[in-house]
Amino acid sequence: MRLGAWKVALRIARRDALRAKGRSALIVAMVALPVLGVTGADVVHRSGQLTPAERVERVVGGADALVTALAPGRSVEQAPVAEDGAFAVEPRPGQAPTPEQQKAAGTDPVALVTGLLPPGSVLTAARPGPETGATSPEGLVRTLTAEADVADPLWHGRLNLVDGHAPGGPRELAATRAFLDHAGLAVGGTTTLPGLERTTFTITGVVEHPDDLRRVELVAQPGALLDQIAAATPPDSPAGERSGPEHGAWLVRLPAGAALDWAKVQEFNAHGYTLTARSVALAPPPRAAVPYYRDAYRSTGPSADNNTKVVVATVTGMGLLEVALLAGPAFAVGARRSRRQLALLGAAGGRRSHVGAVVLGGGLVLGVAGAVVGVALGTGAVAGLRPWIERAGGARFGHFALPPLDLLAIAGIGLLTALLAAALPALQAARRSVTAGLTGRDTVRGPNRWVTLLGLVLLAAGAILALYGAGAVQRGLPVVSTYDARTLTVLGGSITAELGLLACTPFLVALVGRAAGRLPLGPRLALRDSARHRSRTAPAVAAVMAAVAGAVAIGVYSTSTDAENRRDYRPQAPYGAVQLIATTDGPQLDIMRAELGKQLTDLGPRADLADAVYRFCAGCSSTVQLKGTANWRTASGPPHLAAGDAAVLRTQFGVHDPAAEQALAAGKILVFDRAFLAGDGRTVLQLRGGSGAPLQPGEIPKPDLQELPVDAVLVENPTAARFAQGLILPSALPKLGLAAQPTGSIWVPTTPPDRKAQQRAEASVVRLNRAAQLEVERGYQPRGDALTLALSGFAALVVLGAASIATGLAAADSRQDQATLAAVGAPPRIRRTMAGLQCALIALLGALLGAVNGFVPAVGLLKSRASGFGSHPALITAPWGQLLLVVLVLPVVAGLLAALFTRTRIPLGRRLS
C-alpha cells in the first residue's frame, strides 16, 4: 500500500474511534493497564538503582571514608564499596603471618587507623551498640542501639533526622520509625532499658537509615548510652547483649587536599581492615585489579536463584500474550459493527488490503493512545505513591528516575500489543466478501487441523522443555539481563506450552459445540453460537487462560513453598508450650517462675529443664551427648542429653508411659531413638574436653573424648527425639561424674497466651534477669502472600471481563437471530439463558486450560529449586481453594451476572436477503 492509502485508512480509523467512544475507551484501557504496570515497575526499579555517589553517601554519609575493623591480624579482600562485599582470607596451612598482620594484631585499632591515614585526618566513631530491650506500653521491645550526633552533617545520608530534633542530653534518644511502630510510642514518649531502669529516656526525634527503613533502633548522643549499657550488662549475658561488634568502625574526614586511592584500600586490607573511600567509589579501579571479584565466587559459591524473581518473570512472560487476547475481541466488535461500512469501502473499489488497513489503523491509533496514557499514569502513580513504595520496599529511592529508552520501549510494546490484537480482526475483515458484509452474513469455517496439531506439539514440547530445564540445566552466570540459562529455559518452555494451548483453543471450542445436540434449547443455542463464531470466543477463552495460568502458577509455587517450609519446620517445644529460658539457678530462677505464674494464668503444671554437662575443670564444661548417628533433618537443636524428672518426660517430651517413668526414677537413661542404643541394651555417653583441664604435678592428662557405657531403656518416640537424644534424672548424674545445668522451665497451657500477654510477661521476667528469655511455641506460622492474592484478584477480573466482552460481542452479532427467535414465539428468558451460558462457557473453558497450563512453570521452578546439593525433594501442592475459586465459582458468577444484566426484550429489526 502507498503512504496516501495509509493516511486515508488512519483517518477513517481515527473517526471510527471517536464515533465509538465506549469501545475505544475500553481498548485504550486494556492497552494502558499493562503499560501502566510495567512503567511503574521500571520507574521503581530504576529509582532504586543507586548511582555511585548515592551508594557511597549511604555508607560514609558526609564523611570522606569509612574504616571498619573486619578481621585485624588477617588479610581481607573487598569490593570498592566494602559494604557490597568483603571477607577475610583463610590462611594456608603453615603460613606465617605477614608483618602487616602482626602489626594489626598487636596495635590499638585507633592508633593503627590514624597511622595509615593521611596526617590531619579526623576519626569519628561510627559505633553500633548491642541489641537490648526497651519498655513499651505493652511490655518489652527488642531493639538495636547506636550512638551518633545526627545533627552533624557528617552523618547526613547515612543516618538522617526526619522528624523532631536531635538528642540534646544524656537522657534523650532518637528512634527509628520501625521502633516507634513496634513499641506503640511517638515523639515525646518515654522508655527505659533493662539495667538502666532508674533512667527514663525521652524520645525527641525520628531517624532513619535510607537503605534500611525497617531497622528497629535507638540512637543516643556519643558517649551517652553504650557505656552505660555495657556497665549494667551481667558478664553471663549473651554475647549480643554484652557489647557491640568486637572491633569498631570510624567515619573519616580528610584534611584539605588529601585523597585516598585503591592502593591505600589494599594497604588497609593487608592489616585486616576495610576502607570505603568516596574517591575510590566514584572512580573505581578496573575489575581485574580487584582481588575480591576473582576470589569471591570461589569463596561463597554461585548464589542460588531468587525464586520469587524467577516466578514473577515467568508469569510476566506468560502475561505478555494476555493484553492482545483481551483487546482482540474488542477490535472484533468494532470490525463487526463496521462491517457494512467496510463492505461499502470494498464495493467502492477498495482492495482487501485497504479494508484490513482500516482495522489495523484502529489498532495503531488506539495503541498509541493507550501507550501514552499508560506511561503517563504509571509515572504519575509512582510519583504520588513514592513514600508508600519506599516504606514497602524498606529503602529510599536514590532519585526519581525516568529512563527515556525504557519508557519508549515500554510504550512500543504497548503499541505492538495493540497491533497484534487488531491483526486477526483485520485479516478476517479483509477476507470477508463484500456481499457478506452488506447482508450481515458470515462464512463459518471449521478449525484448521494442522494448527491444532501444531498446538499439541508445542504444548508437549513446552512442558518437556520447562521440566528438563528445571533439573538438567545448571545454574550459572546471567545470559539475558539478570536471568541465567535455567531461568530462561523454564520461561521459554512455559511460554511455548501456553502458545500450544492457544493454538488448540479453536478446536476445543468447536469440540464443545458438538455436545450441544443433547442439551435443551437455550444451552444448545448458546454452545452452537459460541462454536460457530470462534473468532470472538477463542480469543476470550485464551485471555482467561493466560490470566488464570499466571495466577495458578504463583499459587502452586507459593502453596508448595509454604508446604515445604511447614515440612521442614522444627519446633523447639510442644505446640503451645511456654518456655522460660534461663541458665541461672537458685532463688532468682524461683522468683522468675513465680512472677511468670502471676503474669500468665492457667499455665498448667510446670517442668524444670536442665542439660547433662561434664565439668572437667572449674568454670569448664561441655554438653553430654549419646554415641550414635543423629538425624539432623528432624532435630530441633544440637544433640544433647536432657536432665529432668517425670514432669519433664510428660510436658517437654509428651511421653505418658508408667514403665518409662519407673525406669527414669530408677536412674536409667531413657533413649528416644534406637540409633543411640547399643546391642547390649546400654547407651554410651560421650564426654568431651577432658584434655583441656589444668593438671596437678604428677597428674596424667585425661583424653579429650571419654566414652561411658550406662544402662538405658528404649522409649522410641520420634517426636520426643526432636528435642533431645535422651533423658536422665538429675539426681543420677553425680554418680556418673556429671552435673545438671538448669536451662529454665516449661509449661503447656490449654490455650497459648497471646502476643501482648507474652510481651508483658517477658518484660517482667527481663526486669529480674536481663539474660532470661520467654518463648511461646506457636508452631509453623505461614507468611501472607500478597503476590498470590493480587494475582488471584487480577485473574478474577480478567475472567469476568473477558467473558463479558465475548458475551457482549455475541449479543451484538446475534441480534438478527434473537429477533427471529422472538418472531417465532421464543420466550423472552431465552436471551438471558443464552447470554449466561455463553459467558459461563468461556470462563469455564479458559479457567480449566489456564489451571492446567499454570502447573507447568510452577512445577519446573520447584524442581529447579530442589535440584541443588543437599536440597529436600520438591513438594508439589495444589492450591485447592484458589483452583475452586477460578475454575468453578468464577464461571458461575460470570454466567449469573451476564444473565442478570442482559435485557429480555428483543427489538425486531429489518433483515436483508
Side-chain angles (χ1 to χ4, degrees):
M1 286 179 56
R2 297 181 179 179
L3 181 60
W6 274 109
K7 290 182 179 179
V8 174
L10 290 175
R11 189 181 307 120
I12 296 174
R14 179 176 58 83
R15 291 175 177 174
D16 185 63
L18 293 175
R19 187 181 304 112
K21 294 183 176 60
R23 174 173 52 84
S24 300
L26 176 64
I27 296 176
V28 169
M30 288 179 178
V31 175
L33 183 62
V35 172
L36 183 153
V38 176
T39 299
D42 183 74
V43 172
V44 170
H45 174 67
R46 294 294 189 181
S47 300
Q49 289 182 322
L50 305 180
T51 64
E54 293 166 346
R55 178 72 183 99
V56 74
E57 183 183 34
R58 295 194 176 182
V59 176
V60 305
D64 297 303
L66 173 69
V67 178
T68 303
L70 180 63
R74 297 172 59 184
S75 296
V76 302
E77 294 180 1
Q78 68 166 82
V81 176
E83 284 64 25
D84 292 339
F87 62 90
V89 179
E90 292 293 336
R92 293 189 297 271
Q95 181 182 8
T98 63
E100 293 86 356
Q101 293 172 352
Q102 293 178 344
K103 179 180 178 182
T107 306
D108 177 70
V110 174
L112 179 66
V113 171
T114 303
L116 294 177
L117 289 170
S121 299
V122 179
L123 299 183
T124 300
R127 188 180 182 187
E131 180 180 348
T132 185
T135 57
S136 70
E138 296 295 341
L140 196 72
V141 175
R142 306 300 297 179
T143 179
L144 299 173
T145 55
E147 290 182 348
D149 184 4
V150 294
D152 189 340
L154 184 76
W155 291 90
H156 182 73
R158 177 182 172 93
L159 182 64
N160 298 331
L161 179 68
V162 295
D163 191 15
H165 63 84
R171 295 191 176 186
E172 293 183 347
L173 299 173
T176 60
R177 182 68 62 186
F179 172 85
L180 297 178
D181 292 341
H182 280 71
L185 297 173
V187 174
T190 59
T191 185
T192 60
L193 306 181
L196 304 175
E197 287 83 359
R198 296 182 179 180
T199 304
T200 300
F201 294 94
T202 301
I203 299 175
T204 63
V206 180
V207 294
E208 70 176 23
H209 295 264
D211 57 345
D212 188 5
L213 301 181
R214 300 190 181 100
R215 181 179 294 188
V216 179
E217 189 175 55
L218 291 173
V219 180
Q221 275 188 321
L225 180 64
L226 301 188
D227 291 337
Q228 297 183 53
I229 294 178
T233 302
D236 59 345
S237 296
E241 297 188 358
R242 285 196 301 270
S243 62
E246 182 181 356
H247 305 286
W250 302 268
L251 292 172
V252 179
R253 185 175 287 165
L254 297 175
L260 300 173
D261 55 12
W262 181 244
K264 179 60 70 174
V265 174
Q266 291 183 307
E267 183 180 357
F268 270 88
N269 293 165
H271 291 80
Y273 290 73
T274 62
L275 171 64
T276 298
R278 187 185 300 273
S279 56
V280 174
L282 297 179
R287 191 176 182 90
V290 182
Y292 171 82
Y293 293 138
R294 179 191 66 230
D295 301 333
Y297 186 84
R298 292 198 300 267
S299 173
T300 62
S303 61
D305 291 341
N306 185 332
N307 287 291
T308 302
K309 178 185 71 175
V310 174
V311 175
V312 173
T314 302
V315 173
T316 302
M318 294 171 64
L320 289 177
L321 300 174
E322 190 172 311
V323 181
L325 297 173
L326 280 172
F331 280 112
V333 171
R336 291 183 183 278
R337 293 276 182 89
S338 305
R339 57 187 169 187
R340 183 175 177 81
Q341 172 187 321
L342 297 174
L344 289 174
L345 178 62
R351 296 196 298 267
R352 293 180 182 271
S353 58
H354 295 152
V355 175
V358 172
V359 181
L360 199 62
L364 180 62
V365 171
L366 298 177
V368 169
V372 172
V373 170
V375 169
L377 291 180
T379 304
V382 175
L385 299 175
R386 177 176 177 175
W388 183 87
I389 295 173
E390 290 176 336
R391 287 195 298 271
R396 297 292 181 194
F397 289 168
H399 58 287
F400 190 73
L402 295 176
L405 294 180
D406 288 14
L407 299 182
L408 286 175
I410 294 169
I413 292 175
L415 175 59
L416 179 62
T417 300
L419 292 176
L420 290 175
L424 183 58
L427 181 62
Q428 292 172 343
R431 289 181 175 180
R432 184 181 297 117
S433 67
V434 175
T435 305
L438 292 174
T439 59
R441 295 170 180 166
D442 287 322
T443 302
V444 179
R445 300 179 180 178
N448 192 315
R449 295 183 178 180
W450 290 107
V451 174
T452 304
L453 181 61
L454 176 62
L456 292 175
V457 172
L458 291 176
L459 175 61
I464 293 173
L465 179 64
L467 297 179
Y468 170 79
V473 178
Q474 297 297 319
R475 291 188 176 99
L477 297 177
V479 177
V480 177
S481 184
T482 59
Y483 304 111
D484 60 9
R486 171 179 288 187
T487 305
L488 295 175
T489 304
V490 175
L491 174 61
S494 304
I495 294 293
T496 303
E498 182 168 2
L499 288 173
L501 274 179
L502 177 61
C504 295
T505 302
F507 173 78
L508 294 174
V509 173
L511 189 64
V512 171
R514 294 180 183 179
R518 304 175 183 177
L519 300 177
L521 176 62
R524 182 165 68 248
L525 291 175
L527 264 64
R528 284 180 174 175
D529 186 72
S530 298
R532 184 182 304 113
H533 298 285
R534 291 182 300 276
S535 60
R536 68 165 184 256
T537 307
V541 170
V544 174
M545 178 191 71
V548 172
V552 170
I554 290 289
V556 171
Y557 184 86
S558 300
T559 305
S560 300
T561 300
D562 186 73
E564 291 177 355
N565 292 338
R566 187 182 298 276
R567 175 195 63 188
D568 299 336
Y569 176 74
R570 299 292 172 257
Q572 301 301 312
Y575 175 76
V578 176
Q579 192 169 1
L580 173 65
I581 303 174
T583 57
T584 59
D585 196 3
Q588 187 184 40
L589 184 56
D590 294 333
I591 294 174
M592 286 191 292
R593 291 164 176 162
E595 181 65 24
L596 194 59
K598 295 178 182 178
Q599 296 291 333
L600 301 176
T601 59
D602 300 327
L603 285 176
R606 188 190 82 210
D608 298 333
L609 305 176
D611 287 344
V613 296
Y614 169 50
R615 293 199 171 106
F616 48 87
C617 68
C620 309
S621 64
S622 64
T623 302
V624 177
Q625 299 179 11
L626 303 185
K627 185 178 182 180
T629 304
N631 188 350
W632 293 97
R633 291 185 178 273
T634 60
S636 297
H640 68 283
L641 175 63
D645 55 13
V648 174
L649 181 65
R650 293 188 296 267
T651 306
Q652 169 76 6
F653 298 100
V655 176
H656 300 270
D657 185 351
E661 294 181 11
Q662 292 178 5
L664 181 66
K668 295 184 178 180
I669 295 179
L670 303 184
V671 178
F672 301 123
D673 191 339
R674 191 180 299 273
F676 303 111
L677 196 66
D680 56 356
R682 311 183 85 190
T683 189
V684 178
L685 304 183
Q686 292 184 325
L687 315 180
R688 301 179 184 274
S691 61
L695 300 177
Q696 299 297 328
E699 184 179 1
I700 301 176
K702 299 178 181 178
D704 185 64
L705 173 63
Q706 303 177 59
E707 294 187 348
L708 180 63
V710 295
D711 293 332
V713 174
L714 177 64
V715 183
E716 198 161 11
N717 189 314
T719 302
R722 291 179 177 179
F723 308 124
Q725 296 173 317
L727 178 67
I728 187 173
L729 200 65
S731 59
L733 290 174
K735 302 176 184 178
L736 303 175
L738 306 177
Q741 174 63 50
T743 58
S745 299
I746 187 172
W747 299 259
V748 182
T750 305
T751 303
D754 58 30
R755 296 188 184 277
K756 289 186 177 180
Q758 178 185 352
Q759 198 175 96
R760 289 192 297 268
E762 185 174 12
S764 64
V765 169
V766 171
R767 290 190 189 100
L768 300 172
N769 185 346
R770 291 186 57 198
Q773 297 180 16
L774 182 67
E775 301 288 345
V776 178
E777 178 55 57
R778 304 184 186 275
Y780 174 71
Q781 300 294 316
R783 294 182 300 174
D785 194 344
L787 184 60
T788 301
L789 182 62
L791 277 178
S792 298
F794 178 68
L797 292 177
V798 172
V799 169
L800 298 176
S804 301
I805 290 171
T807 304
L809 175 58
D813 276 356
S814 60
R815 282 183 179 179
Q816 295 179 352
D817 295 337
Q818 297 286 347
T820 302
L821 288 172
V824 298
R829 68 175 181 273
I830 195 68
R831 193 172 188 227
R832 283 188 172 178
T833 303
M834 288 184 61
L837 290 175
Q838 283 180 331
C839 191
L841 170 67
I842 292 168
L844 177 61
L845 187 56
L848 287 173
L849 296 176
V852 173
N853 194 36
F855 273 85
V856 175
V859 173
L861 293 169
L862 289 168
K863 289 187 174 295
S864 170
R865 185 177 62 182
S867 62
F869 176 77
S871 301
H872 290 281
L875 185 61
I876 311 299
T877 305
W880 294 112
Q882 183 190 27
L883 291 177
L884 179 66
L885 173 67
V886 299
V887 174
L888 293 180
V889 176
L890 283 179
V892 173
V893 172
L896 291 177
L897 290 177
L900 179 63
F901 290 102
T902 299
R903 292 179 297 178
T904 57
R905 185 179 177 183
I906 304 172
L908 297 179
R910 178 176 61 89
R911 181 162 183 166
L912 296 176
S913 57

